[in-house]
Amino acid sequence: MPEPDAPTSQDVDAGARGAHAAAEVDELLDLAVGALGGGRRDGQHTMAQAVADALRTGEHLLVQAGTGTGKSLGYLVPAVRHAVQTDERVVVSTATLALQRQVLTRDLPLVTTALASRLPRQAKIALLKGWHNYLCVHKVAGGYPSDDQGTLFDVPERPGAAEHPPVAEDGDSVRESLGEQVVRAREWAAETSSGDRDDLVPGVTDRAWRQVSVTAMECLGGVCPMLAECFPEAARARSREADVVVTNHAMLGIAAAGSPGVLPEHQVLVVDEAHELADRVTAQATAELSLPTVEQAARLARRHGGVPTTDLDTAGQHLVSVIVPLPEGRFPRGLPQDVRLAVAAVRDAARTLLTALKPESGSRDGGDGGRKMAMSAMLALFEVAERMAADPEQNASTVLWCARGEDRRGMTTTRLHAAPLAVAGLVRTHLLTGRTAVLTSATLALGGSFDPAARSVGLAVRPDAAPVGPTALAATSFPDADAAGPGAGGTVSPAATTTPAGRAVSRDEPPRWRGLDVGSPFDYPRQGICYVARRLPPPGREPATEAQLDEIATLVEAAGGRTLGLFTSRRAATVAAEAMRERLDVPVLLQGDDQLPTLVAQFAADEPTCLFGTLSLWQGVDVPGAACRLVVIDRIPFPRPDDPVRSARSDAVAAAGGNGFMSVSATHAALLLAQGAGRLVRSGEDRGVVAVLDPRLATARYGEYLQRSMPPLWRTTDRDVVVAALRRLAGSD
């Protein structure tokens, strides 16, 4: 057998640099944790050293850090060190507002201060959000017309609006009219120094916020008379000077969809709560078309542009006549021909109006807020219609479907939707290529493997396990699209680029990545039980069976309340909550009874109280201690069979020779089960039971895969053992 090659001087130097970096990061992390008043956690140190190594080598890193690891400091310490020592900007993104606040207001300032004396200088930090998250001083001053009632009622609220409920600091709901909220927002405008919507407490609804903000496409940009006082422009200027920029997954979604200019230049991307990245990017890349959107664009064009909209009005009415008779659901072969032609007519009419609305060179209309609003709405309509009307072959990677729902006035509206089949190509092309990425979460390794997570963001490619999707959304053919607003336009990426480590990478070359599970400091088998109700019948179409309700009542009674009920449908949560209120003498809160933060606070404050709800409770609820001793999961959370995007992905995997159910449905369920079961153990002192009332978790062939994705609690199917354990816990609290 030939002897292995002796290490080269380059290998020796690289190893020495790596050892030095590891030792330095280890010491810096101790400093930061000490400043926080915490103790050493081995998993946190393992993570920090792995992040430092990835930043040094340019290799992408997927790191699973269980609850209690302290993952934010695990990536912030090496990221701040790297940014200051190399002058390479780091962008940190979170999925939720709560984690963003924690990183920005507690963890990152602590790290920069603690490390300042050990680095060449103190790191500069900045926060960057989407344009409409900031107050527009020009709009408040009267530079834009108020939105008319049609706009207020017909346009759906943006994703994320629920994160700004009108709730007072004491948790009580605020009952204000729309007008009262607008007045309060305008009064706040006179005193705020940030213009950041999150600093307005209590918050206001999305409709009220629209009266004091504009989108990027509506912004007047350089011709705005109040540019020097512009809050979003100031935030972007700060981000261009910062070493570490904190943002959110919605911004990553905008960048991935083809507008990378929304983020400052950066060489390192850290994605916290990375298990949500693909879904957030998909949401940003999903478009809809309906009569209200057509009518809104036409109304703004007439009102603020002074142009007739006869052709668009006619096209809108024809569109309605062909889509109203359509059945709800996906169009596997693309839009029917008559629908595609109707959408094309809307596109053509919108293109003509865009030309008519364009200000003449040198005219004063460029600073007209109303005209800019009209152009923005018309451009959005044009781009959506063009994307949907594309040739079916061009739309092979686009999922198209029809859905119906009620607007705020109770009127049923038929809408067409378009979403990318997958976003792996978008994420890889626009977010990962040319930079080093660290993706972290408590739930990245599903079934014991990082491959599903890697495939979802384009780091690994295997068509028989997951579709890749497009690398770009349909490009606009309107020549002045980039004039719509700051950051609206995209840039064309080169065929080859260079990683932060200096290595040239072809866009077609598979990215280098590795996965690492640093574990959790919690002793899951000793702290919790995973009970599968094997004796129950498999769940059917009904929201809850009598056997399930009996099981819930028995378990909740044994626990003395203290139950978080996670349900896969609103109907199931309602049926279970109403039944428990009749059968048991413990308070049962139901999602929808009040704002979610208020309900969670009540649940945490009163130990006998139970809280039942759906998807919003499966992730992000953090209630340590005796208030949560039992987590009930009604059934395995498979996606609905009629989910258009996931069913299309499943079909694509099957067409490539793979198992669509395991690759799509089981992976989706595994992630939610991991998140839901993770609500139980939130500290080293927590004890309790996760009860899954779906026997398939124990009997089906895919059950073991799902259980391997969950925290490693002690498993049992014996209800008597579980009831006895819950009673002992209730008696000791």
Side-chain angles (χ1 to χ4, degrees):
M1 178 181 294
E3 294 184 4
D5 294 336
T8 66
S9 60
Q10 288 181 326
D11 293 333
V12 173
D13 289 344
R17 287 194 300 271
H20 173 74
E24 184 176 345
V25 167
D26 208 51
E27 186 177 348
L28 293 175
L29 182 57
D30 282 337
L31 277 176
V33 172
L36 191 62
R40 183 183 179 93
R41 285 175 270 192
D42 291 341
Q44 188 181 54
H45 279 262
T46 300
M47 177 180 179
Q49 291 175 3
V51 172
D53 193 52
L55 301 185
R56 182 177 59 83
T57 64
E59 182 180 58
H60 300 303
L61 175 67
L62 276 66
V63 55
Q64 176 164 287
T67 304
T69 301
K71 62 178 166 46
S72 57
L73 263 63
Y75 62 72
L76 285 175
V77 166
V80 167
R81 170 186 174 272
H82 179 85
V84 172
Q85 290 185 346
T86 65
D87 287 325
E88 291 187 345
R89 183 175 296 112
V90 176
V91 168
V92 176
S93 180
T94 70
T96 61
L97 192 60
L99 182 57
Q100 184 181 74
R101 285 173 177 156
Q102 176 189 317
V103 170
L104 188 75
T105 64
R106 190 193 73 172
D107 296 345
L108 192 49
L110 181 145
V111 169
T112 57
T113 301
L115 272 54
S117 63
R118 306 297 298 273
L119 296 176
R121 55 180 173 79
Q122 184 163 342
K124 293 177 287 187
I125 62 179
L127 171 67
L128 185 61
K129 300 180 181 180
W131 210 267
H132 67 273
N133 286 285
Y134 297 95
L135 183 89
C136 174
V137 291
H138 189 45
K139 188 165 189 175
V140 172
Y144 288 80
S146 298
D147 290 340
D148 59 23
Q149 288 303 307
T151 300
L152 291 176
F153 279 108
D154 295 336
V155 178
E157 293 196 346
R158 296 184 185 89
E163 292 192 319
H164 304 277
V167 176
E169 293 183 18
D170 60 4
D172 292 334
S173 296
V174 176
R175 307 302 180 190
E176 289 180 307
S177 68
L178 177 61
E180 289 171 332
Q181 291 182 54
V182 173
V183 168
R184 184 160 55 81
R186 288 180 174 275
E187 292 173 346
W188 172 77
E191 60 189 45
T192 178
S193 60
S194 68
D196 186 338
R197 180 178 180 177
D198 292 333
D199 293 340
L200 174 57
V201 179
V204 296
T205 62
D206 203 62
R207 289 192 293 158
W209 186 251
R210 271 291 291 161
Q211 303 303 301
V212 295
S213 67
V214 297
T215 65
M217 289 201 299
E218 293 169 341
C219 178
L220 298 179
V223 300
C224 178
M226 304 185 76
L227 182 63
E229 304 166 55
C230 178
F231 287 119
E233 194 61 62
R236 272 145 187 77
R238 288 191 294 270
S239 75
R240 291 190 291 269
E241 298 297 322
D243 298 295
V244 181
V245 178
V246 180
T247 189
N248 53 63
H249 290 5
M251 291 288 282
L252 297 189
I254 296 171
S259 296
V262 300
L263 297 173
E265 287 293 328
H266 57 288
Q267 293 73 40
V268 176
L269 175 64
V270 177
V271 183
D272 203 339
E273 300 174 308
H275 63 278
E276 293 197 48
L277 179 61
D279 282 348
R280 296 298 180 101
V281 173
T282 301
Q284 285 293 326
T286 299
E288 69 170 49
L289 179 63
S290 64
L291 180 61
T293 56
V294 175
E295 289 180 334
Q296 180 205 6
R299 184 166 51 245
L300 291 174
R302 292 192 302 269
R303 180 180 175 188
H304 305 307
V307 297
T309 60
T310 306
D311 289 348
L312 183 58
D313 297 336
T314 301
Q317 292 301 320
H318 179 56
L319 175 69
V320 170
S321 71
V322 296
I323 67 174
V324 167
L326 291 174
E328 287 190 278
R330 180 165 59 98
F331 304 110
R333 298 174 184 83
L335 292 178
Q337 181 67 3
D338 60 334
V339 177
R340 194 163 73 88
L341 292 175
V343 173
V346 171
R347 174 201 62 196
D348 295 342
R351 180 191 286 118
T352 300
L353 286 169
L354 274 172
T355 302
L357 288 167
K358 181 184 176 184
E360 294 183 9
S361 179
S363 75
R364 306 177 88 181
D365 289 341
D368 183 342
R371 182 176 286 267
K372 197 61 185 288
M373 287 173 61
M375 281 197 67
S376 169
M378 197 62 66
L379 179 60
L381 175 64
F382 168 76
E383 290 181 336
V384 170
E386 183 178 57
R387 184 173 162 192
M388 292 184 177
D391 183 89
E393 290 187 5
Q394 290 180 273
N395 264 343
S397 292
T398 299
V399 182
L400 297 159
W401 72 95
C402 175
R404 291 185 178 85
E406 290 187 353
D407 62 20
R408 294 188 185 91
R409 295 173 293 183
M411 304 290 289
T412 299
T413 301
T414 301
R415 304 179 189 274
L416 297 177
H417 297 263
L421 174 63
V423 297
L426 295 174
V427 172
R428 174 179 168 179
T429 302
H430 299 288
L431 298 183
L432 305 185
T433 300
R435 56 181 59 98
T436 301
V438 174
L439 294 91
T440 184
S441 168
T443 52
L444 275 186
L446 300 178
S449 171
F450 286 94
D451 288 346
R455 288 192 290 265
S456 74
V457 296
L459 291 178
V461 177
R462 187 179 152 192
D464 65 342
V468 175
T471 57
L473 299 182
T476 179
S477 60
F478 186 72
D480 294 302
D482 285 356
T491 58
V492 178
S493 300
T497 186
T498 304
T499 68
R503 187 174 65 89
V505 178
S506 166
R507 199 160 287 282
D508 297 325
E509 180 182 339
R512 295 187 306 133
W513 68 277
R514 73 175 178 122
L516 172 68
D517 185 352
V518 300
S520 168
F522 301 150
D523 190 348
Y524 282 110
R526 294 181 64 87
Q527 290 186 241
I529 298 172
C530 178
Y531 163 59
V532 181
R534 185 169 184 161
R535 49 181 287 278
L536 293 181
R541 292 183 176 274
E542 63 275 8
T545 64
E546 281 301 314
Q548 276 188 321
L549 295 176
D550 291 343
E551 193 83 357
I552 294 172
T554 299
L555 294 171
V556 173
E557 185 176 34
R562 313 173 193 213
T563 301
L564 179 65
L566 305 179
F567 295 84
T568 52
S569 73
R570 171 72 182 171
R571 286 180 60 213
T574 301
V575 168
E578 291 176 350
M580 295 309 107
R581 286 167 176 169
E582 291 178 1
R583 299 187 187 194
L584 302 176
D585 188 25
V586 294
V588 179
L589 305 175
L590 176 63
Q591 185 178 352
D593 289 346
D594 206 330
Q595 298 286 353
L596 193 55
T598 303
L599 295 174
V600 173
Q602 291 175 355
F603 173 58
D606 183 39
E607 288 187 7
T609 296
C610 303
L611 174 59
F612 289 5
T614 55
L615 191 58
S616 299
L617 295 180
W618 288 68
Q619 305 182 62
V621 174
D622 187 6
V623 181
C628 184
R629 292 302 195 197
L630 172 63
V631 175
V632 172
I633 296 175
D634 70 328
R635 65 174 71 195
I636 297 173
F638 292 120
R640 290 168 55 99
D642 58 357
D643 182 311
V645 175
R646 288 192 170 86
S647 64
R649 290 174 183 170
S650 183
D651 289 349
V653 169
N659 186 324
F661 170 78
M662 287 300 298
S663 295
V664 179
S665 296
T667 297
H668 173 80
L671 175 58
L672 282 178
L673 280 174
Q675 285 286 320
R679 299 310 98 202
L680 179 68
V681 178
R682 309 302 298 174
S683 74
E685 289 71 44
D686 287 343
R687 303 288 187 273
V689 172
V690 173
V692 182
L693 310 185
D694 189 334
R696 295 174 297 177
L697 190 62
T699 60
R701 286 187 297 175
Y702 52 77
E704 184 60 28
Y705 167 79
L706 298 178
Q707 292 203 45
R708 286 202 311 271
S709 305
M710 299 168 67
L713 305 170
W714 184 75
R715 301 183 192 177
T716 185
T717 58
D718 189 330
R719 188 179 71 173
D720 292 341
V721 169
V722 171
V723 168
L726 288 171
R727 285 176 176 160
R728 284 196 302 272
L729 279 174
S732 64
D733 288 333

